[in-house]
Amino acid sequence: MAMITGVWVPLVTPFKDGAVDLGSYRRLIEYYIGQGVSGLFPLGTTGEAPTLDDGEADAIVAETVEAVAGRVPIFVGIGGNATAKVIKTIKRLGRHEFPGIVSVCPYYNRPTQAGMREHFTAIAEATARQILIYNVSYRTSVNLTNETLLRLAELPNVVGVKDSWGSISQSLDLLAT
């Protein structure tokens, strides 16, 4: 199991002439590992994942796994507002060796807490990989409450939250639990 401690970097996806620039991407990976990061997050929203096609996303994951070569853990951004699509992507990328995924709360369709619980439960049941839930309400228009998160944390492969909700009191309440 990968330890989620220290500094993890969400990787940007460089482009050159309208195409993903894998050479520059590899240099970014080497730079961050050389600086002592603890782990990497490719294909997050910082990495333009929502705008990449399947082939580009596959190339990013393959390049990340090859360049990292086991030196730090990789949690790939695999999220969306359509549960079946997220699961399909998890299965498509399953041939690559990485310990976990970062999955954003469903955006646009503004699910209820029960809907988010169902979404993340289905994802957890579809993979043995570790799952870090990304709560970023200013982008998704929904906040995953601590109550829902704690219920999801009962699933064996839900290992944490990337909390960008913006509420210190909610974060402190979670830490006090």
Side-chain angles (χ1 to χ4, degrees):
M1 179 176 280
M3 290 298 299
I4 304 173
T5 62
V7 175
W8 286 58
V9 174
L11 295 165
V12 298
T13 304
F15 290 84
K16 185 175 184 179
D17 299 324
V20 173
D21 181 355
L22 292 175
S24 293
Y25 182 74
R26 185 177 279 260
R27 285 191 296 280
L28 282 172
I29 291 170
E30 293 303 330
Y31 173 78
Y32 289 125
I33 290 175
Q35 296 302 307
V37 301
S38 302
L40 297 172
F41 294 133
L43 293 183
T45 51
T46 302
E48 297 75 36
T51 66
L52 299 176
D53 65 29
D54 290 350
E56 291 168 324
D58 289 357
I60 288 290
V61 173
E63 190 72 21
T64 307
V65 170
E66 182 181 311
V68 168
R71 294 178 286 172
V72 297
I74 301 164
F75 275 47
V76 175
I78 306 175
N81 61 349
T83 307
K85 253 176 128 171
V86 172
I87 291 169
K88 185 177 179 181
T89 302
I90 289 169
K91 292 186 184 308
R92 189 184 82 241
L93 296 174
R95 67 185 180 281
H96 301 289
E97 292 294 325
F98 55 89
I101 68 169
V102 180
S103 196
V104 69
C105 292
Y107 46 84
Y108 187 73
N109 49 8
R110 300 177 67 174
T112 63
Q113 295 300 305
M116 286 191 283
R117 194 171 56 251
E118 289 176 25
H119 173 79
F120 287 116
T121 298
I123 291 169
E125 290 172 350
T127 184
R129 296 181 199 264
Q130 297 171 69
I131 300 168
L132 188 68
I133 295 172
Y134 186 19
N135 189 26
V136 57
S137 64
Y138 71 94
R139 294 284 190 214
T140 63
S141 297
V142 293
N143 172 43
L144 186 70
T145 65
N146 287 344
E147 178 184 339
T148 303
L149 180 61
L150 290 170
R151 287 189 63 192
L152 288 166
E154 294 171 1
L155 299 168
N157 54 341
V158 172
V159 297
V161 61
K162 181 180 176 190
D163 183 14
S164 298
W165 156 238
S167 169
I168 289 292
S169 62
Q170 181 173 319
S171 298
L172 290 173
D173 288 345
L174 179 62
L175 291 171
T177 305

